[in-house]
Amino acid sequence: MALLNNAMAIMMVVLGLGFVIFIHELGHFLLAKWNGVKVEKFAIGFDVFNLRLWSKTIGETTYVLGALPLGGYVKMLGEEPSEVGETAGDPRAYHNRPVGARMAIISAGVVMNLLFGLACFTYVYLRGKPEMPPVVGAVIAGMPAYDAGLQPGDRVVRVDGRPIQTYSELQQAMIFSGKDQQLRVELERPGQAQPIAVTLSPRLRPGALGPTIGIGPSFGLEIAPKSSFLEPAGFTGDSAALEKSIGEGGRVTAAGVEGQPLQPIETKPQLDQLLAVHADRPITLDVRDSGTPAAKAATAKARQITLPAIPMVDLGAVMTTGPIIGIRPGSVAAEAGLKVGDRITAVDGATDVDPLRLPDLAFRKGDAGEAIALTIERPGPADSAPPELLQITLQPDAEPSGTQSTYPDEALELPALGLALTVEPKISAVRPDSPAARAGLKPGDVVRFVELTEPAAPAADADDKAATPSILRLVLDGKRTNRQDELATWPGAFELIQSLPLHEITLTLVDGPQPVRLTPEPVEGWFNARRGLRFLIQMQPLPPQNLGSALGRAWKDTVDNVMSVYYMLRGLIQQTLPGESVGGPIKIADWAYSTARLGLDAFIPFLGMLSINLAVVNFLPIPPLDGGQLLFLICEKIRGRPIPERLAGPVMIAGLLFILMLFVVVNLNDVMSYFGPGR
């Protein structure tokens, strides 16, 4: 079955990409015929050195399927400068047609691609589709959204006055922002009647493909069906029995501590809060069929799932607490006068506190109404000045940690204090009789790589074979050596260790003689709030639209896709977008294949986007692209005669060399991103 699905996806890619090229060349062909120009050849693919998969002459035109599948072309009589003299008296020669007719012929390919993109998007809206709402699901510690005080559950409604309807529109507004651009973001917050407006400047995270404000999509209360329980490292129960009770998933409607009355659950943040506050106790979930209508949800048959308390696991290596990199406005830390750059050196007088335990420690203090005393090292006013030591006592909020997943490259957040800090991968202490101590780790060791084993994906059906487990290598020093490496921080790596089944991990030290292998062990009194349960990303259904509404939405998507190409070019010039965000033929084929495997409803809008991108790029004023040809014709219209060959020739050659150079660069970029060392 998998082989058949892969073959179908490959066939969709070949036909789909071929059709996008065909549509473009068909525009040139039809307008040439309409204007009385003789078309000598219509080619899909290039037939360099006469290498053809198929050709047939019908009437005056030879139709060709070239062996080099990188585009296509329409060859018209008198199109080449060398043919001008030979066809001077032929009214069907391209160069003998009026300038307006030639402009129409040159522009027709781009117009056809735009119309095809519009048709693809219209098809999607006529069928209806699920959309991801622009709701904040996670706020990345230390990023602009964190510093501005955004919270999970916030719904973005406008960016710079433009309405935002989906999460992809929100992402696009961030990715294609200009260098140092300040965006006015308007959002609605549950429980507040008036909208909130904040000003944010997106920035590029290492390894990301575009600027971001540092948020993640929201998850709903729908439990992922089948294999939805990913056994956390500290889990010691019967995972098969728990997964069986989860069954086909469903929607969580109520939850509570085992043995106590359940309370209604309406949002994912509400459930996260309950799981974190009672992380040390079993929690019972009331789960109902996802297909149950809302009106019947209260009376629908429910099943209850009990999630046990799951301890955290640890290596016994205490890492070095780094400086504070973010402080939430209005937080305990902000009111106490803490600043970005401050470093916590002691907690309640103890200098050996593990920074990863600080979020839970601060919450427990806040929940008990107790204060926490911090010793702060603040950088001096000048580089040569000694740091200033401060003693600050704070009253933490009862805000639990572990309510949202940590991204691999994220800093450490202390929600109860409202600050985020870095954790350096340098060992400051090793606990006696811990896995780290038994493995020979010592203070001063610096971890560069963390290697984890990811569980194999289950087989899709009985005919398929399950994938083999894979090794995930996390890079803590920001220097990838291959494409598979993932940039990470120590808190991000620690989070992944918790979320995967307990197994031996490998640490590679800077200047270490050889990798160190060790197995984490459970920690008494410290619990995993998320407990391995996986939820589906929140979606909002968009029902099938009538033709007028579908065309309106499709037109908006078409304009957005046109503008995104220019925004991307601006981002590359301003270096707000990395080179990896641009794809050549290899990446395009990979993206097309990945989308085709999701089905026709996903592949058709991809083709629409690709067709529009082809149109915009082809219309750039660079010879020999269509836009460059049009530029020559505009100059001819203004001058009343063609551009002299002595000027047009060198410009055409320069443009061709630029296109060839760009082609080589994007293909090398593709090859390096897939097969070369990481950057």
Side-chain angles (χ1 to χ4, degrees):
M1 183 62 71
L3 185 60
L4 178 60
N5 290 339
N6 292 341
M8 288 293 294
I10 292 172
M11 182 64 68
M12 288 171 62
V13 170
V14 172
L15 294 177
L17 299 186
F19 191 74
V20 170
I21 296 170
F22 169 78
I23 283 290
H24 181 90
E25 302 306 333
L26 182 64
H28 294 313
F29 176 83
L30 292 177
L31 262 291
K33 289 287 190 179
W34 180 272
N35 286 281
V37 176
K38 179 182 179 180
V39 178
E40 298 178 330
K41 186 186 292 186
F42 183 104
I44 302 299
F46 293 107
D47 53 342
V48 182
F49 305 118
N50 211 34
L51 295 175
R52 301 175 178 178
L53 301 177
W54 174 86
S55 70
K56 185 177 180 62
T57 301
I58 302 176
E60 62 186 14
T61 305
T62 300
Y63 299 88
V64 175
L65 190 61
L68 188 62
L70 294 177
Y73 65 96
V74 170
K75 171 65 176 67
M76 295 172 284
L77 178 67
E79 183 180 7
E80 301 296 334
S82 60
E83 299 175 319
V84 172
E86 302 174 6
T87 58
D90 193 332
R92 300 193 65 200
Y94 171 77
H95 65 87
N96 287 329
R97 305 309 297 160
V99 173
R102 283 181 278 156
M103 285 183 174
I105 293 171
I106 288 298
S107 305
V110 167
V111 172
M112 286 290 281
N113 278 133
L114 292 175
L115 291 175
F116 178 65
L118 180 67
C120 288
F121 297 145
T122 302
Y123 163 85
V124 171
Y125 289 115
L126 286 173
R127 287 181 57 84
K129 66 171 186 174
E131 294 180 325
M132 194 184 304
V135 176
V136 177
V139 181
I140 300 176
M143 292 294 288
Y146 181 87
D147 296 338
L150 267 68
Q151 301 175 9
D154 289 346
R155 185 184 187 97
V156 177
V157 293
R158 289 182 184 83
V159 174
D160 277 353
R162 178 185 175 184
I164 298 295
Q165 295 177 306
T166 66
Y167 191 80
S168 62
E169 291 178 353
L170 175 59
Q171 283 183 307
Q172 192 175 59
M174 302 305 156
I175 291 174
F176 296 125
S177 59
K179 186 176 183 180
D180 300 325
Q181 182 176 354
Q182 298 286 319
L183 300 178
R184 177 181 169 84
V185 178
E186 298 175 54
L187 52 92
E188 296 174 347
R189 178 166 295 166
Q192 295 196 16
Q194 298 299 320
I196 299 172
V198 296
T199 300
L200 299 170
S201 181
R203 68 170 184 257
L204 187 64
R205 293 168 65 200
L209 294 181
T212 178
I213 59 173
I215 61 174
S218 63
F219 286 80
L221 293 170
E222 297 286 339
I223 300 176
K226 293 183 180 180
S227 303
S228 56
F229 178 71
L230 184 59
E231 182 180 327
F235 182 75
T236 57
D238 187 344
S239 60
L242 183 55
E243 186 170 323
K244 183 177 180 181
S245 71
I246 292 170
E248 294 300 313
R251 179 180 178 83
V252 177
T253 59
V257 175
E258 184 182 26
Q260 297 182 7
L262 305 186
Q263 63 185 64
I265 298 294
E266 297 179 354
T267 66
K268 182 64 163 49
Q270 183 185 3
L271 176 62
D272 290 339
Q273 183 84 355
L274 186 145
L275 292 173
V277 169
H278 302 289
D280 58 340
R281 304 178 68 180
I283 296 292
T284 299
L285 306 180
D286 182 280
V287 179
R288 299 173 189 257
D289 186 354
S290 300
T292 302
K296 298 182 179 180
T299 58
K301 182 179 179 180
R303 67 183 187 280
Q304 293 191 341
I305 302 170
T306 299
L307 301 174
I310 299 174
M312 300 283 278
V313 298
D314 192 22
L315 303 175
V318 178
M319 296 297 173
T320 302
T321 304
I324 294 172
I325 63 167
I327 296 178
R328 279 189 173 277
S331 66
V332 171
E335 293 176 357
L338 290 173
K339 298 180 179 180
V340 170
D342 289 350
R343 187 188 295 261
I344 299 173
T345 59
V347 178
D348 291 335
T351 59
D352 60 348
V353 175
D354 187 341
L356 298 182
R357 298 293 300 268
L358 285 178
D360 187 65
L361 174 63
F363 162 64
R364 299 300 169 188
K365 288 267 189 178
D367 191 46
E370 300 175 0
I372 187 170
L374 302 180
T375 302
I376 302 295
E377 183 182 270
R378 178 166 293 172
D383 293 339
S384 58
E388 180 183 4
L389 288 180
L390 304 172
Q391 302 292 331
I392 298 178
T393 300
L394 308 91
Q395 180 58 57
D397 292 329
E399 182 71 25
S401 62
T403 58
Q404 63 182 34
S405 297
T406 302
Y407 286 73
D409 61 344
E410 190 174 352
L412 179 68
E413 181 186 8
L414 280 67
L417 300 181
L419 62 84
L421 52 82
T422 60
V423 178
E424 299 169 3
K426 180 179 180 180
I427 298 176
S428 62
V430 177
R431 296 192 185 92
D433 196 29
S434 66
R438 293 191 291 272
L441 295 176
K442 57 186 183 300
D445 287 341
V446 178
V447 180
R448 184 183 181 196
F449 298 126
V450 179
E451 292 184 7
L452 309 170
T453 302
E454 292 189 295
D461 54 48
D463 296 332
D464 294 338
K465 293 182 178 179
T468 57
S470 59
I471 301 298
L472 176 63
R473 188 163 76 157
L474 307 174
V475 183
L476 303 185
D477 64 358
K479 299 176 182 177
R480 290 189 293 181
T481 58
N482 60 63
R483 179 177 175 266
Q484 286 70 38
D485 289 347
E486 183 160 2
L487 298 178
T489 60
W490 183 256
F494 189 78
E495 169 71 20
L496 280 171
I497 291 173
Q498 307 306 316
S499 63
L500 297 175
L502 186 65
H503 65 277
E504 184 181 71
I505 68 172
T506 301
L507 305 182
T508 300
L509 306 178
V510 175
D511 300 327
Q514 60 186 6
V516 178
R517 294 178 174 83
L518 62 171
T519 301
E521 295 179 351
V523 180
E524 185 177 353
W526 191 16
F527 296 92
N528 185 339
R530 283 179 294 282
R531 310 175 195 233
L533 202 62
R534 295 191 296 119
F535 291 84
L536 297 177
I537 288 179
Q538 183 179 356
M539 303 298 289
Q540 58 188 18
L542 178 69
Q545 305 291 293
N546 60 45
L547 182 59
S549 178
L551 281 171
R553 285 175 171 265
W555 173 256
K556 178 179 179 296
D557 287 354
T558 301
V559 173
D560 287 347
N561 275 272
V562 168
M563 296 307 300
S564 70
V565 179
Y566 293 108
Y567 291 145
M568 177 171 288
L569 292 174
R570 181 186 68 179
L572 292 171
I573 294 171
Q574 295 181 343
Q575 296 185 337
T576 59
L577 287 175
E580 291 87 345
S581 60
V582 180
I586 297 175
K587 276 189 179 177
I588 291 173
D590 184 24
W591 292 335
Y593 174 73
S594 299
T595 309
R597 292 197 61 179
L598 299 177
L600 199 61
D601 285 350
F603 188 57
I604 285 181
F606 171 81
L607 289 181
M609 180 199 66
L610 182 64
S611 184
I612 292 170
N613 275 258
L614 175 63
V616 177
V617 171
N618 227 328
F619 221 52
L620 294 176
I622 304 171
L625 299 178
D626 291 343
Q629 301 277 20
L630 185 66
L631 184 61
F632 281 171
L633 291 174
I634 293 173
C635 292
E636 180 179 340
K637 185 70 174 179
I638 295 173
R639 297 179 74 245
R641 60 186 184 277
I643 300 294
E645 180 61 28
R646 68 177 184 277
L647 176 62
V651 172
M652 185 69 74
I653 292 173
L656 181 60
L657 290 175
F658 176 78
I659 295 298
L660 290 174
M661 180 184 68
L662 186 62
F663 181 79
V664 171
V665 169
V666 297
N667 277 278
L668 282 176
N669 184 41
D670 284 359
V671 171
M672 293 298 291
S673 65
Y674 281 91
F675 308 109
R679 299 179 213 175

